[in-house]
Amino acid sequence: MSGPVTEAKLWYWQRVSAMALALFVLVHLATMAWAVRGGLSAAEILGRTRGSWVAGAFYGVFVMAAAVHASIGLATIAQEWLGLRAGPARALAAAFALALAVLGLRAVYALVAA
Amino acid sequence: MSEELVVKVWRGREDGAFVAYRVPRRENQTVLDVVTWIQRHLDPSLAYRYACRVGMCGSCAMTVNGVARWTCRTHVSRVAKGEALEIAPLANLPIVRDLATDMRDFFDRWARARGQFTGAATRHDDFARVDPASPARVAADAGIECIGCGVCHASCDVVAWRPAFVGPAALNRAWTLVNDERDTAGRERLRAVAGDAGCHACHTQGACTERCPKGIAPTAGIAGLKRLVARAAVRGEL
Ligand code: SF4
Ligand code: SF4
Ligand code: FES
């Protein structure tokens, strides 16, 4: 899978995921600043996030955006710095994206599952 | 101002080395003046290139103290470190000899980015009337004064990393043409500049824009090309 159309699409996805991430990071930081005021403990956080669909959806999409964004960038760096060809670089990056998504979604699950 | 400059000049090809020369310091001396003085008084075999000496032809660019610059418009007082100068050929281009680089590959990339104008009118048609205030013409004008000096090309990391990347100057040229309402090869050109050999390889960090002696912003044109390519891809026109 290569060629200008693929590369244009990858660029588009990286851009869209970057915009999503910018928003998500801001919301995440604001929520943290607000939540931390009563003192922070694991039990307290879990008490609020367990069973919360909003937290689950928010961090689920957050994880997916990070996986998409980071892996497209890493595929580029692998080509430029390690001299890999586009195919192998993208395969490596896809594996990395999968790992990020699995680890991230597992963490989100632990956060919201009752 | 001291009496003398110590100037290290690259001699030979890729496997060459710096050779030090002592050059009298003068007021309002340019880096090109220094190189010319060395060739006229110390070593007539020194190879370098220039033509206009007034910043129009784009042939005199070299690496001065590590930074690509047009040497005819660069005053020694602005770039010398103490009284030391180090002058090397432009980076990212094959060296012919000493300070002269082979620019063929540089301009071949302009051709690969579809840098040729293609019009529909003939000499029998009237002049095209282009509104100078139209957004497309304003965008084209911003990049049109390129003198082909290669400073941006030599300053771009992606040019160094990706041998197939056409580079900022070629993409700036393509950007001026896609904004030229008389040109008829727009679609073909977008196809030529899309992808990792074209605009999508650019990291948007702006070394080219920072260094261009003509104040052109290839980075902005490249971002514009990315937007046009995305639009064309969405419409299935790529
Ligand atoms: S902005 Fe793009 S073209 Fe310009 S120097 Fe950086 S990577 Fe190269
Ligand atoms: S864009 Fe600027 S730096 Fe690049 S070749 Fe043209 S004039 Fe030189
Ligand atoms: S000699 Fe023509 S631009 Fe410097």
Side-chain angles (χ1 to χ4, degrees), chain B residues 71-88:
Chain B
T71 55
C72 70
R73 298 290 302 269
T74 301
H75 281 261
V76 170
S77 54
R78 209 155 55 88
V79 290
K81 296 204 171 100
E83 296 305 319
L85 270 185
E86 187 189 272
I87 309 177

Side-chain angles (χ1 to χ4, degrees), chain B residues 48-197:
Chain B
Y48 67 110
R49 200 184 279 125
Y50 75 95
C52 71
R53 297 181 297 126
V54 290
M56 289 179 69
C57 71
S59 61
C60 66
M62 302 169 199
T63 308
V64 185
N65 284 349
V67 175
R69 295 180 183 279
W70 54 356
T71 55
C72 70
R73 298 290 302 269
T74 301
H75 281 261
V76 170
S77 54
R78 209 155 55 88
V79 290
K81 296 204 171 100
E83 296 305 319
L85 270 185
E86 187 189 272
I87 309 177
L90 277 185
N92 295 342
L93 291 162
I95 302 172
V96 177
R97 187 161 62 83
D98 304 339
L99 301 172
T101 48
D102 186 341
M103 303 294 283
R104 277 178 299 186
D105 171 56
F106 174 69
F107 288 110
D108 285 348
R109 294 179 197 226
W110 292 43
R112 287 213 297 282
R114 197 61 180 74
Q116 313 87 342
F117 173 82
T118 311
T122 70
R123 68 181 65 195
H124 307 296
D125 292 306
D126 195 6
F127 291 116
R129 285 185 169 66
V130 180
D131 177 7
S134 66
R137 193 60 228 171
V138 170
D141 281 344
I144 207 73
E145 296 287 347
C146 170
I147 56 175
C149 65
V151 163
C152 55
H153 188 83
S155 307
C156 175
D157 283 335
V158 178
V159 168
W161 292 330
R162 283 188 190 265
F165 180 43
V166 295
L171 291 171
N172 176 68
R173 170 70 182 162
W175 174 244
T176 62
L177 286 173
V178 297
N179 283 295
D180 188 329
E181 62 185 64
R182 300 163 306 160
D183 187 275
T184 55
R187 192 164 161 177
E188 203 186 307
R189 187 169 298 107
L190 280 189
R191 219 173 279 148
V193 300
D196 285 349

Side-chain angles (χ1 to χ4, degrees), chain A residues 6-94:
Chain A
T6 307
E7 282 144 18
K9 281 187 187 151
L10 286 174
W11 173 78
Y12 180 80
W13 276 104
Q14 197 178 27
R15 202 157 168 176
V16 168
S17 58
M19 293 194 287
L21 282 174
L23 195 74
F24 278 54
V25 167
L26 285 180
V27 172
H28 172 70
L29 287 178
T31 316
M32 293 296 287
W34 168 76
V36 85
R37 286 194 304 186
L40 207 54
S41 73
E44 205 206 350
I45 295 177
L46 287 177
R48 265 182 275 155
T49 58
R50 289 240 149 112
S52 161
W53 275 103
V54 176
F58 178 84
Y59 284 105
V61 180
F62 199 154
V63 163
M64 294 315 287
V68 167
H69 188 78
S71 57
I72 297 175
L74 282 177
T76 301
I77 294 171
Q79 287 175 64
E80 288 171 1
W81 291 22
L82 307 179
L84 294 186
R85 296 169 64 82
R90 285 188 193 144
L92 264 183

